[in-house]
Amino acid sequence: MLPSCLRDSGKSSIALTNIDVSLEQEQLIGEIAEIIIPATKTPGAKALNLHLFTLKMLDDCYEKEEQELFFKGLDALQDKSQQQFSKSFQKLTVPERQQLLLGVEKDEQATPELKKFYDIIKSKTIEGYMSSKYVMTNLVIWELVPGRYNAYYPVKSA
């Protein structure tokens, strides 16, 4: 509890060692992750804190160059949002956000920074979702190999 009390008000809500993320950037990444995995009958990306998972993975597992490309791509997405809709990403409606991200995914003319950003955020959001506690306990019924012992399993004679 003490680290959260000592945290700067404009800083990220999790401790990161290699990257410097503002609270605004963290919230923006959360909104983008929510578009990738929206809340339905199951919790969405924001409810499962997948944006924090993405940031932690980016901090721990990626090289400095890729981290820089990620944040340049985040800025490029904001610029593309301003160009296309004359609004920041946070002020877009959900269909506009979906249209923007789908355009980035299919656009071969996107900058390398924007492509790298989208590739990282999409892959880490999906990876975080598939390995989240919610999915692993509620959606995927996992049993240790070889599985449950069933003494009454019918066996055909040879």
Side-chain angles (χ1 to χ4, degrees), residues 48-59:
L48 296 174
N49 290 323
L50 299 182
H51 60 293
L52 301 179
F53 173 80
T54 300
L55 287 173
K56 193 65 175 169
M57 291 297 286
L58 181 69
D59 185 53

Side-chain angles (χ1 to χ4, degrees), residues 18-135:
N18 299 319
I19 57 176
D20 187 30
V21 180
S22 69
L23 189 59
E24 182 180 314
Q25 287 174 321
E26 179 186 315
Q27 291 170 345
L28 177 59
I29 291 169
E31 294 298 325
I32 295 167
E34 186 69 22
I35 294 299
I36 295 171
I37 300 181
T40 55
K41 291 185 268 181
T42 61
K46 281 178 77 173
L48 296 174
N49 290 323
L50 299 182
H51 60 293
L52 301 179
F53 173 80
T54 300
L55 287 173
K56 193 65 175 169
M57 291 297 286
L58 181 69
D59 185 53
D60 290 344
C61 302
Y62 284 86
E63 298 292 327
K64 186 77 171 161
E65 297 82 30
E66 292 174 312
Q67 294 169 352
E68 290 171 1
L69 280 175
F70 181 85
F71 288 106
K72 286 179 184 174
L74 183 62
D75 294 338
L77 183 71
Q78 281 285 45
D79 295 342
K80 191 169 180 75
S81 173
Q82 283 290 348
Q83 260 181 351
Q84 197 169 343
F85 298 104
S86 301
K87 295 188 256 182
S88 67
F89 188 86
Q90 293 92 330
K91 294 181 181 177
L92 296 177
T93 63
V94 172
E96 289 173 335
R97 289 177 179 184
Q98 291 171 340
Q99 180 184 351
L100 181 66
L101 290 179
L102 193 60
V104 169
E105 184 173 0
K106 293 186 177 189
D107 188 14
E108 283 93 30
Q109 297 175 349
T111 62
E113 297 89 12
L114 192 54
K115 279 300 233 185
K116 187 66 171 178
F117 164 76
Y118 187 75
D119 290 344
I120 290 173
I121 196 164
K122 184 175 180 182
S123 67
K124 294 303 160 192
T125 300
I126 293 170
E127 179 184 338
Y129 183 75
M130 294 307 294
S131 61
S132 68
K133 181 180 179 181
Y134 176 79
V135 170

